[in-house]
Amino acid sequence: GGVVQLWKVSDRRLYAWKTLSGHRGRILDMFASADGRYLATAGDDGMVVLWDILVGTKRVLVDGDVPIVEIRIDPTGRYVGAIDDRGTIRRWDVRNGGGDVLLGQSLVWGLRFTPDGQYLLTTDDGGELRVWRSRSREAIYSGHKEFVRDVAIDGPDVYTIGEDGTIRLLNSNTADVRVFREPGAILDRIFPLRGLKFLTFGRRSVRLWDSSNGQHVTLFEKPGTQPLAVPSPNTQLVVGGPGERQPRR
């Protein structure tokens, strides 16, 4: 444990490139920056390490005694965020190396940055979506009755889906919240699309929603399946599921 192996792809084959060593225990999570230069790793040794992949150097952001369970780098590459096993949330400005302990929060399981890196979003099993900036807490909640299963961000809009089958669309600029429901559905993933539309992926269906009026159409549905799909940049969709011989377009 504690070693990261970097690989390169050449002629459709994988080649071992570099090995990064520095953790004393197992690595629990890792995340690469958008430009591919930096890699953040988190371990059960309580360490958060930021690696410069090109140069091969490392910077230890924290070396504690509580396992770090999730790590993220914001899309701009300026901030690193992490959650430890006790629910403590940290954010570092890696340009100056300063650590920022935001708050202890129990049972946090999800961590995302907004595209500009200024806000850090966390979710917990109590159904709360919290938005953080620096040391101040902005009390914006999702209001789900049960825990939040997925979070997606598209500009100022934050999409959440809950175990209770509720979809919420929060505008972080205006604090306006719109609620959509699919009673009895177990939803796993949500993907924003262009034109006020979004996709939801459930235990047996994929649906396309119009956030302007709350209407939806079913793109795929088959009881007993777990649909898998990836939206392409032009919002076309290919869907497949267990038992399906051919994807549906």
Side-chain angles (χ1 to χ4, degrees):
V3 176
V4 178
Q5 178 66 59
L6 302 180
W7 303 81
K8 276 192 172 183
V9 180
S10 179
D11 297 327
R12 299 183 180 181
R13 295 181 62 185
L14 284 174
Y15 296 90
W17 179 40
K18 291 182 180 180
T19 300
L20 307 178
S21 301
H23 283 273
R24 296 183 300 272
R26 292 185 302 120
I27 295 175
L28 301 181
D29 196 20
M30 64 179 66
F31 198 87
S33 62
D35 61 6
R37 176 166 182 172
Y38 296 98
L39 179 71
T41 56
D44 62 2
D45 52 7
M47 295 177 65
V48 171
V49 181
L50 182 66
W51 307 83
D52 186 321
I53 296 174
L54 296 182
V55 179
T57 57
K58 68 178 181 180
R59 183 194 307 178
V60 178
L61 300 182
V62 66
D63 187 356
D65 56 2
V66 180
I68 308 295
V69 296
E70 188 165 357
I71 190 82
R72 288 292 183 271
I73 301 176
D74 88 279
T76 71
R78 177 174 180 176
Y79 298 106
V80 174
I83 301 175
D84 69 22
D85 200 37
R86 295 176 182 170
T88 302
I89 306 159
R90 289 182 169 89
R91 188 183 78 169
W92 294 268
D93 183 339
V94 295
R95 292 181 185 173
N96 61 32
D100 191 6
V101 179
L102 299 180
L103 190 65
Q105 184 182 10
S106 62
L107 299 178
V108 176
W109 69 266
L111 176 70
R112 302 283 179 87
F113 278 101
T114 54
D116 60 6
Q118 294 300 312
Y119 292 91
L120 187 63
L121 289 77
T122 62
T123 54
D124 64 22
D125 71 342
E128 288 188 341
L129 170 69
R130 299 187 182 183
V131 181
W132 313 78
R133 184 173 186 177
S134 188
R135 289 184 178 274
S136 64
R137 169 185 170 186
E138 300 196 10
I140 301 176
Y141 303 98
S142 68
H144 291 280
K145 294 180 181 179
E146 300 180 24
F147 67 85
V148 178
R149 298 188 64 88
D150 194 27
V151 179
I153 304 169
D154 184 23
D157 295 322
V158 180
Y159 297 76
T160 63
I161 55 175
E163 183 75 7
D164 56 3
T166 303
I167 305 162
R168 292 182 182 264
L169 172 56
L170 165 69
N171 185 293
S172 59
N173 291 335
T174 64
D176 177 59
V177 179
R178 282 178 282 174
V179 180
F180 312 97
R181 290 185 173 87
E182 189 174 353
I186 300 177
L187 306 177
D188 293 308
R189 300 295 303 278
I190 188 164
F191 288 97
L193 301 174
R194 290 177 295 182
L196 300 177
K197 302 235 180 359
F198 63 91
L199 294 168
T200 57
F201 293 65
R203 295 297 171 87
R204 63 181 183 180
S205 65
V206 178
R207 305 193 196 282
L208 175 65
W209 296 74
D210 186 332
S211 61
S212 65
N213 55 28
Q215 301 297 311
H216 69 264
V217 295
T218 300
L219 302 181
F220 171 86
E221 186 167 23
K222 184 175 182 180
T225 64
Q226 179 78 41
L228 299 175
V230 177
S232 60
N234 62 1
T235 72
Q236 292 181 343
L237 180 70
V238 175
V239 182
E244 291 290 302
R245 293 187 177 182
Q246 297 292 333
R248 298 184 180 184
R249 192 180 295 271

